[in-house]
């Protein structure tokens, strides 16, 4: 096949990736962005088949088997995985990207050594350095993502796992990984060096993510996504495939940008997230002493009366809403209120949930209008004009300690200024702290009422009470 035609195909594919990424930046166009990226990937795959020319019957069987297996798994995931499980799924897919990268890198090196073809690549530093980078970054991405998946799924402790000297151990292991990578570059004919690189990178990935607590999962997922893109880009250099280099670079760059956005939203630096261990923080304050006798409970009927008299209502979704799968009940509440000509908006904190955009995805799934989802910076100045705020399963993102207690693990983190509203309704199963491990003094404010109930059931009860009002 004409090389120029293949390059044009790759160019079109790359343009579609860029356009798709742009469309993914807004919930309203995200579906089109996803489809655009999928078309780009299809053209890229077609280009790869054309570039490598004639494919043997045995190769066709393997390729077809892989496509069939991937289709079956992908279809099953699309049908079975709940939206609440999306953070875990994203973490796992990041890991698979890293796994594919270091396996392809190792296979390329082994193929040269076993067949004796293209041996000139072994003296090409672009090839050897890219191979070593693929091994390290791909392995870190794979095992780090598996640990992140385990934390989100509850298979591994969500708390920060620390031990004496852990930072020194990670630095030493990183240095060992780089040294093994150097040996792999200078002695590419010794295939064992590559797999030693992978082993060291795999251990490093585990040690990097284990100390990170659940509160930092949005940042970790964005960062691992970036790692998977960088690993894919390095694999592109190994294979000499331009479209893979471009696609990997786009994923890597967008992941880094998203990571910075998440860190800014938490008012923390990336090194602090990686080495600070928020989520494993402990507090010396007894939550029972703070809350004892000071919280005011409410009922569905009382909440319905407050809402019936309100003109403006803001709903703050959190991870508790996701766990309860309450998004459709929240939509019913939204419909009830708007039918009464009550203005309803949703306040979205950048790190609410367990991955970037988690709340937006859940609300979009429930057909909440996109223009009703307000970012923190947009809605914060208006909370003093809100009649009722309903906090459904959120905790740390509305905790005033972020502004009042310099010693708090969440000190300095921008929060939603819900305390300025006339009335605050907190839907929560108990007074247990969020992932940051600190109590929330918002719960004992004079204008705050606690509705102790599962997020979905509580919302349904409020909807029922509203119908009777």
């Amino acid at each position: 096949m004409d090389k120029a035609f293949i390059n044009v195909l790759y160019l079109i594919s790359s343009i579609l990736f860029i356009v798709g990424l742009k469309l993914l930046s807004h919930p309203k166009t995200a579906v089109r962005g996803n489809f655009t990226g999928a078309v780009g990937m299809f053209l890229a795959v077609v280009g790869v088949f054309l570039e490598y020319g004639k494919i043997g019957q045995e190769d066709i069987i393997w390729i077809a088997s892989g496509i069939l297996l991937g289709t079956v798994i992908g279809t099953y995931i699309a049908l079975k995985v709940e939206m609440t499980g999306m953070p875990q799924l994203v973490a796992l897919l990041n890991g698979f990207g890293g796994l594919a990268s270091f396996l392809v890198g190792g296979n390329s090196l082994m193929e040269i050594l076993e067949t004796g073809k293209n041996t000139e690549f072994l003296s090409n530093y672009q090839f050897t350095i890219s191979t070593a980078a693929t091994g390290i970054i791909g392995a870190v991405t794979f095992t780090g993502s598996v640990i992140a998946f385990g934390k989100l799924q509850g298979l591994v402790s969500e708390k920060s796992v620390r031990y004496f000297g852990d930072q020194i151990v990670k630095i030493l292991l990183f240095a060992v990984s780089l040294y093994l990578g150097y040996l792999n570059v200078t002695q590419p004919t010794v295939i064992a060096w590559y797999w030693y690189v992978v082993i060291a990178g795999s251990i490093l990935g585990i040690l990097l993510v284990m100390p990170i607590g659940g509160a930092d999962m949005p940042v970790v997922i964005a960062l691992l996504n970036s790692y998977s893109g960088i690993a894919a880009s390095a694999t592109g250099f190994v294979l000499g495939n331009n479209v893979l280099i471009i696609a990997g670079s786009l994923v890597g760059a967008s992941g880094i940008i998203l990571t910075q956005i998440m860190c800014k939203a938490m008012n923390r630096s990336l090194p602090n997230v990686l080495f600070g261990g928020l989520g494993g923080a402990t507090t010396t304050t007894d939550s029972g002493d703070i809350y004892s006798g000071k919280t005011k409970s409410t009922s569905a009927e009382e909440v319905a009366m407050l809402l019936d008299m309100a003109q403006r209502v803001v709903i703050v979704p959190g991870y508790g809403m996701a766990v309860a799968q309450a998004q459709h009940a929240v939509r019913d509440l939204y419909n009830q209120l708007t039918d009464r000509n009550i203005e309803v908006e949703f306040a979205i904190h950048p790190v609410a949930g367990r991955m970037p955009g988690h709340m937006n995805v859940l609300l979009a799934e429930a057909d909440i209008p996109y223009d009703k989802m307000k970012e923190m910076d947009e809605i914060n100045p208006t909370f003093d004009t809100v009649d009722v705020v309903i906090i459904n399963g959120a905790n740390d993102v509305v905790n005033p300690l972020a502004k009042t207690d310099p010693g708090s693990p969440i000190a300095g983190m921008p929060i939603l200024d819900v305390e300025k509203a006339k009335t605050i309704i907190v839907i929560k199963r108990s007074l247990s702290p969020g992932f940051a491990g600190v109590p929330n003094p918002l719960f004992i404010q004079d204008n705050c009422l606690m509705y102790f109930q599962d997020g979905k059931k509580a919302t349904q009860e409020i909807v029922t009470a509203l119908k009777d009002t």
Side-chain angles (χ1 to χ4, degrees):
M1 180 61 66
D2 183 42
K3 184 70 173 177
F5 176 77
I6 295 173
N7 286 334
V8 169
L9 205 60
Y10 283 160
L11 178 61
I12 295 173
S13 176
S14 300
I15 292 172
L16 289 174
F17 287 151
I18 295 170
V19 173
L21 193 61
K22 172 61 178 176
L23 293 174
L24 286 170
S25 64
H26 194 281
K28 196 170 184 177
T29 57
V31 174
R32 277 189 288 145
N34 196 39
F35 179 76
T36 302
V39 173
M41 182 58 69
F42 174 77
L43 294 179
V45 172
V46 171
V48 170
F49 285 149
L50 295 177
E51 181 176 3
Y52 285 90
K54 186 177 180 181
I55 300 175
Q57 184 176 355
E58 184 178 348
D59 295 327
I60 292 176
I61 294 174
W62 279 107
I63 293 171
S65 299
I67 292 175
L68 179 62
L69 180 61
T71 301
V72 170
I73 294 174
T75 302
Y76 175 81
I77 288 174
L79 294 174
K80 294 295 183 181
V81 174
E82 300 285 348
M83 295 304 293
T84 51
M86 285 303 295
Q88 295 93 305
L89 179 60
V90 171
L92 204 57
L93 292 178
N94 287 338
F96 286 154
L99 175 65
S101 294
F102 78 69
L103 288 178
V104 170
N107 179 73
S108 299
L109 189 58
M110 291 173 63
E111 185 178 21
I112 292 175
L113 296 177
E114 290 177 2
T115 64
K117 297 178 181 178
N118 300 320
T119 54
E120 67 275 9
F121 285 179
L122 299 179
S123 58
N124 184 334
Y125 280 132
Q126 175 180 300
F127 175 83
T128 54
I129 292 175
S130 297
T131 303
T134 298
I136 295 175
I137 303 173
V140 168
T141 304
F142 174 60
T143 55
S145 298
V146 170
I147 296 300
F149 167 81
K151 282 177 173 283
L152 292 167
Q153 192 68 21
L155 303 176
V156 180
S157 174
E158 294 172 336
K159 298 299 182 180
S160 174
V161 179
R162 308 297 296 272
Y163 54 90
F164 179 75
D166 60 339
Q167 310 291 22
I168 296 175
V169 171
K170 284 182 282 190
I171 292 172
L172 290 176
L173 188 56
F174 178 65
V176 169
S177 300
L178 291 179
Y179 179 68
L180 291 172
Y182 166 77
L183 294 177
N184 180 224
V185 170
T186 56
Q187 302 176 37
T189 56
V190 183
I191 189 63
W193 290 132
Y194 179 80
W195 298 114
Y196 290 151
V197 166
V198 170
I199 293 172
S202 299
I203 299 172
L204 182 60
I206 295 172
L207 296 183
L208 282 173
V209 178
M210 283 301 294
I212 300 175
D216 286 326
M217 278 301 113
V219 179
V220 173
I221 290 176
L223 186 61
L224 289 170
N225 180 252
S226 177
Y227 286 172
S228 69
I230 296 171
S233 184
T235 307
F237 282 104
V238 172
L239 299 176
N241 187 284
N242 292 332
V243 74
L244 185 55
I245 294 172
I246 294 171
S249 299
L250 287 172
V251 174
S254 60
I256 286 292
I257 293 171
L258 187 58
T259 301
Q260 291 178 326
I261 292 172
M262 293 295 103
C263 287
K264 183 179 179 181
M266 300 173 71
N267 195 34
R268 301 172 67 210
S269 66
L270 182 57
N272 183 257
V273 171
L274 294 177
F275 306 116
L278 175 65
T282 57
T283 176
T284 57
T285 306
D286 186 348
S287 298
D289 292 338
I290 290 180
Y291 300 136
S292 182
K294 300 177 183 177
T295 60
K296 298 183 289 292
S297 297
T298 188
S299 63
E301 290 73 23
E302 184 178 3
V303 174
M305 290 176 59
L306 290 168
L307 292 174
D308 188 54
M309 295 184 292
Q311 292 182 322
R312 186 180 179 215
V313 174
V314 172
I315 299 174
V316 179
Y319 186 61
M321 186 195 79
V323 172
Q325 300 185 36
Q327 61 269 29
H328 295 287
V330 168
R331 179 201 56 204
D332 294 338
L333 176 60
Y334 167 81
N335 290 338
Q336 279 276 334
L337 295 174
T338 52
D339 287 345
R340 296 167 182 251
N341 296 318
I342 298 171
E343 182 185 1
V344 183
E345 294 173 320
F346 294 81
I348 311 296
H349 193 283
V351 295
R354 292 296 173 266
M355 72 174 186
H358 195 182
M359 296 300 105
N360 301 78
V361 171
L362 288 174
L363 295 175
E365 182 203 16
D367 296 324
I368 298 296
Y370 298 115
D371 61 344
K372 296 299 180 181
M373 303 180 203
K374 305 297 182 180
E375 299 298 327
M376 177 176 62
D377 292 339
E378 180 182 0
I379 202 165
N380 260 354
T382 70
F383 270 114
D384 56 357
T385 65
V386 177
D387 296 304
V388 180
V389 168
I390 301 176
I391 301 172
N392 198 324
N395 197 325
D396 295 329
V397 298
V398 295
N399 193 333
L401 284 180
K403 296 186 291 185
T404 61
D405 184 2
S408 169
I410 58 173
M413 183 179 85
I415 63 168
L416 292 164
D417 296 331
V418 296
E419 71 276 6
K420 297 178 181 178
K422 294 180 177 65
T423 304
I424 304 165
I425 309 296
V426 178
I427 298 175
K428 205 173 183 296
R429 286 180 294 182
S430 70
L431 288 171
S432 61
F435 275 101
V438 292
N440 191 339
L442 176 73
F443 301 161
I444 59 174
Q445 282 193 186
D446 292 338
N447 61 339
C448 183
L449 300 173
M450 301 296 299
Y451 193 166
F452 294 110
Q453 183 60 274
D454 171 84
K456 182 178 181 178
K457 187 174 181 181
T459 308
Q460 290 173 334
E461 291 174 351
I462 294 171
V463 170
T464 302
L466 264 175
K467 292 178 181 178
D468 298 333
T469 302

